[in-house]
Amino acid sequence: MGLLKNKSWQAQDLYNEYLELKVIISEKVINLEYIKSIGEVTPEEITTREKSINEKVMRLRTVLNQLRVEHNVQLEELIILSLGVDI
């Protein structure tokens, strides 16, 4: 990738994890909102799903921090890459 070409393979792996987490979190949030709207789920199930989302968000924060601090990848670069633009 253009913006990551001078970065290590670890940076590329973290970028791939970032993309996966972004999709997973979005899907989990949409699913949680849906099950809340139909009202056929227990409060414990909602709590479990919210905990799962929070864990994924914490991992995403860790990945973003590692990319920024350890691999000098700017968040602007991630946004551009995640849009499918590779310059």
Side-chain angles (χ1 to χ4, degrees):
M1 299 196 149
L3 291 173
L4 292 178
K5 70 180 176 188
N6 295 326
K7 308 294 182 190
S8 68
W9 63 268
Q10 293 98 339
Q12 182 64 51
D13 284 350
L14 287 167
Y15 172 70
N16 291 337
E17 185 176 359
Y18 155 76
L19 291 177
E20 290 173 15
L21 286 167
K22 196 171 82 158
V23 170
I24 290 168
I25 292 168
S26 177
E27 289 172 351
K28 285 181 174 282
V29 168
I30 290 168
N31 183 271
L32 178 60
E33 292 304 315
Y34 174 74
I35 64 167
K36 283 181 175 179
S37 72
I38 60 173
E40 296 182 15
V41 66
T42 65
E44 293 81 19
E45 179 66 20
I46 290 173
T47 301
T48 300
R49 289 173 186 249
E50 287 173 342
K51 183 179 177 185
S52 175
I53 291 169
N54 290 339
E55 289 170 355
K56 295 293 183 191
V57 169
M58 291 303 295
R59 178 61 190 156
L60 179 61
R61 287 178 183 225
T62 300
V63 166
L64 290 173
N65 189 55
Q66 285 180 301
L67 282 167
R68 184 177 55 83
V69 174
E70 296 173 19
H71 301 285
N72 199 31
V73 175
Q74 301 302 313
L75 296 181
E76 295 85 4
E77 293 173 343
L78 289 176
I79 293 168
I80 291 169
L81 284 171
S82 67
L83 294 172
V85 178
D86 185 18
I87 44 178

